[in-house]
């Protein structure tokens, strides 16, 4: 019998991944600013998270690397924090004491947990992650663009139990609508390449406020577009659209 694998979306790209007794927090974001809105309820506070074995952070943007919220709430700074070098520098400055800097195809172990950075591309330096323990494998896509190197993940790591992918195709208006996140169709194509048992989209409710949405960002906030694209491209893959705070158990 497989070790239980459960994912609970806290909000945006902040996920709580549980593999047996191991608990991994991804891309923490617990606060808001004038141009960064969750667009959905945040399902937990830092204080109610409970024990965390590792934190993985894909890149340094505030809505994925809200380390001030962790430190202000008394988060245990001895918990290993894993991310690319750009994130590692920030984490050390914030007082985290076990910081692991890894780049694409490099890995680190936290007890029985293995975290491997995989390629990513965004407006700043970013990695994605493969998270493994007890024969279970999770791909976490942060808010990366679709990059072809990710198609090699099943060959390198075997079967993917869970794929967590961004889908909103975020574009930056002042940069001639430069796209910095994969869109629903591109995420569906990656899903077909990864062939996970279950795919869960994230990074779609976020918005920049009334003026920000008109002047700064443009994005697709409807996750059904991704589900429809997967149904068309890879109809045998199960997709789950999940409200924050709802645990999903992967078969």
């Amino acid at each position: 019998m497989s070790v239980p694998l459960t994912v609970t979306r806290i909000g945006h790209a902040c996920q709580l991944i549980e593999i047996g007794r191991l608990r991994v927090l991804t891309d923490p974001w617990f606060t808001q600013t004038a141009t960064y809105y969750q667009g959905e309820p945040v399902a937990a506070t830092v204080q109610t998270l409970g024990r965390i074995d590792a934190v993985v952070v894909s890149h340094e943007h505030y809505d994925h690397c809200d380390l001030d919220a962790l430190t202000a709430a008394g988060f245990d700074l001895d918990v290993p924090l894993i991310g690319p070098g750009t994130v590692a520098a920030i984490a050390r400055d914030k007082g985290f004491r076990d910081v692991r800097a890894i780049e694409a195809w490099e890995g680190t172990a936290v007890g029985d947990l293995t975290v491997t950075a995989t390629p990513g591309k965004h407006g700043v330096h970013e990695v994605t992650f493969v998270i493994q323990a007890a024969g279970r494998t999770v791909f976490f896509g942060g808010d990366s663009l679709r990059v072809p190197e990710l198609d090699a993940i099943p060959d390198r790591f075997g079967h993917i139990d869970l794929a967590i992918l961004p889908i909103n195709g975020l574009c930056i208006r002042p940069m001639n609508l430069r796209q910095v996140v994969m869109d629903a169709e591109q995420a569906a194509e990656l899903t077909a390449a990864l062939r996970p048992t279950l795919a869960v989209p994230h990074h779609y409710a976020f918005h920049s406020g009334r003026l920000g949405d008109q002047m700064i960002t443009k994005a697709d906030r409807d996750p059904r577009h991704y589900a429809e694209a997967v149904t068309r491209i890879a109809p045998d893959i199960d997709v789950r659209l999940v409200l924050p705070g709802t645990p999903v158990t992967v078969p």
Side-chain angles (χ1 to χ4, degrees):
M1 182 178 293
S2 297
V3 169
L5 168 58
T6 301
V7 60
T8 305
R9 192 158 63 88
I10 307 302
H12 198 50
C14 185
Q15 307 267 3
L16 178 61
I17 299 168
E18 299 176 87
I19 307 175
R21 291 182 53 81
L22 293 169
R23 308 176 84 241
V24 180
L25 184 71
T26 69
D27 283 8
W29 186 27
F30 293 91
T31 57
Q32 294 188 147
T33 69
T35 55
Y36 282 84
Y37 292 88
Q38 296 270 359
E40 60 189 350
V42 180
T45 65
V46 176
Q47 294 92 336
T48 61
L49 284 173
R51 177 183 54 81
I52 298 295
D53 295 290
V55 179
V56 300
V57 181
S58 62
H59 66 292
E60 73 265 31
H61 278 157
Y62 153 70
D63 57 321
H64 293 255
C65 186
D66 190 8
L67 302 188
D68 285 338
L70 297 183
T71 58
F75 188 81
D76 183 357
L77 299 184
D78 286 321
V79 172
L81 189 145
I82 304 164
T86 45
V87 168
I90 295 169
R92 293 188 185 103
D93 185 61
K94 300 293 183 184
F96 284 83
R97 291 182 281 270
D98 186 353
V99 178
R100 319 280 183 92
I102 56 174
E103 302 294 345
W105 308 122
E106 297 176 345
T108 188
V110 180
D112 294 329
L113 177 77
T114 300
V115 178
T116 304
T118 45
K121 184 178 180 181
H122 189 48
V124 296
H125 180 52
E126 176 166 359
V127 299
T128 55
F129 295 100
V130 170
I131 299 165
Q132 296 176 293
R136 296 291 226 165
T137 301
V138 177
F139 172 71
F140 174 76
D143 69 351
S144 177
L145 285 160
R146 168 88 162 97
V147 292
E149 295 89 340
L150 296 176
D151 292 6
I153 284 176
D155 291 335
R156 285 176 173 261
F157 298 96
H159 177 69
I160 307 300
D161 294 288
L162 172 65
I164 305 171
L165 299 174
I167 62 167
N168 71 343
L170 185 70
C171 296
I172 308 302
R173 294 184 186 274
M175 300 176 69
N176 295 316
L177 289 177
R178 176 188 173 191
Q179 185 179 342
V180 293
V181 179
M182 69 182 82
D183 62 23
E185 192 77 17
Q186 294 160 343
E189 292 169 356
L190 179 55
T191 303
L194 295 177
R195 302 210 58 78
T197 299
L198 180 66
V200 174
H202 71 189
H203 200 280
Y204 53 81
F206 158 84
H207 67 99
S208 302
R210 185 175 61 85
L211 289 177
D213 289 346
Q214 296 174 9
M215 301 177 64
I216 302 173
T217 58
K218 178 183 178 182
D220 177 4
R221 298 181 62 201
D222 190 341
R224 293 173 296 182
H225 296 156
Y226 167 73
E228 291 161 0
V230 175
T231 297
R232 186 176 70 254
I233 296 171
D236 56 326
I237 295 176
D238 187 15
V239 172
R240 201 76 55 87
L241 306 183
V242 186
L243 293 173
T246 303
V248 175
T249 299
V250 182

